[in-house]
Amino acid sequence: MAKEKTPPHKVVMTEGKREIVRSLLAEYDIKDAHDIQEALKDLLGSTIKEMMEAEMEDHLGYEKSERSDSDDYRNGYKSKTVKSSIGEVELEVPQDRKSTFEPQVVKKGQKDISDIDHKIISMYAKGMTTRQISDTIEDIYGFDVSEGFISDVTDKILPQIEEWQNRPLDDVLSGHLHRCHSLFRQRQWSYCQKSSLCNSWPYNGRQEGSAVACHR
């Protein structure tokens, strides 16, 4: 008996996702689906790094800029490559001198973050309140962490998110949108579909089959 095929994932393009896409197009020199994928990886990796920095501060008991008499202290970073829904992402994991730090957002030995990557990217959607961002962080970590810890992580990544949400979209954006639309109308679908980056994008008032992307 033939194995029943899994129906393709249907992407719902929300206004929040559109805002993330617009910001990506304005910030990066987007020319094709690969550029969008790399931009999302950059956003994902930098956010996870900030979340781990907050974890390290909680572990050591003092912030990076503070002095301490503790015999344990920060000791650089270690690169780690993980799989995500948008391909492999390289992370910079903070280290401590005693090697007692156990990261939680991406645990030691964890090789796949596809269960949380879309949650992290969603926090950059315009209109997300601080409360909603905190709720998303709590969902990522689970309910076994304290409210104080969630607050600390929120405070750590909030400036980066607010900077992203508030950056102006210049006139160059319309050119990027047109370029992306033209590229994907030329049947350049396969790469985008494989990397889970296909979405329907409204262009000139119509729903066109454009693979301008945000994660599902």
Side-chain angles (χ1 to χ4, degrees):
M1 183 177 178
K3 186 178 179 181
E4 186 177 349
K5 290 185 177 180
T6 304
H9 176 75
K10 185 178 180 180
V11 174
V12 178
M13 191 62 165
T14 65
E15 184 58 31
K17 290 178 180 178
R18 297 180 205 279
E19 290 295 341
I20 295 173
V21 172
R22 291 181 187 119
S23 295
L24 284 173
L25 291 169
E27 177 69 11
Y28 296 87
D29 185 19
I30 301 294
K31 295 184 177 68
D32 53 28
H34 178 72
D35 290 342
I36 296 173
Q37 186 183 41
E38 292 304 304
L40 287 171
K41 287 180 184 180
D42 183 55
L43 191 65
L44 186 59
S46 63
T47 307
I48 290 176
K49 181 180 178 181
E50 288 301 310
M51 295 172 79
M52 287 184 175
E53 292 283 9
E55 292 181 24
M56 178 64 84
E57 290 177 2
D58 183 70
H59 172 70
L60 295 176
Y62 62 94
E63 295 184 10
K64 196 171 186 178
S65 58
E66 294 178 336
R67 291 180 176 273
S68 174
D69 295 329
S70 172
D71 59 350
D72 196 9
Y73 48 83
R74 290 167 179 77
N75 190 30
Y77 299 88
K78 182 178 180 180
S79 295
K80 174 179 180 175
T81 302
V82 294
K83 294 179 180 179
S84 76
S85 300
I86 51 176
E88 291 190 340
V89 178
E90 188 167 327
L91 305 178
E92 292 294 312
V93 183
Q95 305 292 303
D96 64 325
R97 189 184 71 82
K98 290 186 174 181
S99 299
T100 54
F101 175 59
E102 296 281 345
Q104 296 303 306
V105 63
V106 180
K107 295 178 171 61
K108 285 184 178 180
Q110 184 176 345
K111 301 295 185 182
D112 195 312
I113 60 170
S114 56
D115 58 334
I116 64 168
D117 53 17
H118 60 291
K119 296 176 183 179
I120 292 172
I121 291 172
S122 73
M123 293 190 290
Y124 286 82
K126 202 172 186 66
M128 282 282 280
T129 65
T130 302
R131 178 72 254 180
Q132 290 171 322
I133 291 170
S134 292
D135 288 344
T136 303
I137 292 171
E138 185 175 7
D139 184 36
I140 291 169
Y141 279 102
F143 294 101
D144 55 344
V145 295
S146 69
E147 289 185 10
F149 174 77
I150 295 299
S151 178
D152 290 342
V153 176
T154 303
D155 290 344
K156 194 71 175 177
I157 68 174
L158 196 56
Q160 180 173 317
I161 292 175
E162 288 179 340
E163 180 186 1
W164 178 271
Q165 291 175 338
N166 296 329
R167 63 186 64 202
L169 301 180
D170 56 32
D171 294 337
V172 148
L173 175 57
S174 59
H176 285 320
L177 287 172
H178 180 73
R179 188 190 315 166
C180 285
H181 177 75
S182 299
L183 282 169
F184 291 116
R185 288 196 63 182
Q186 296 170 14
R187 300 181 182 275
Q188 297 182 6
W189 287 92
S190 60
Y191 180 88
C192 208
Q193 287 174 322
K194 290 177 182 177
S195 59
S196 303
L197 289 174
C198 274
N199 275 324
S200 181
W201 181 263
Y203 192 80
N204 291 337
R206 306 188 303 275
Q207 285 290 341
E208 298 275 1
S210 303
V212 179
C214 183
H215 180 59
R216 59 189 176 198

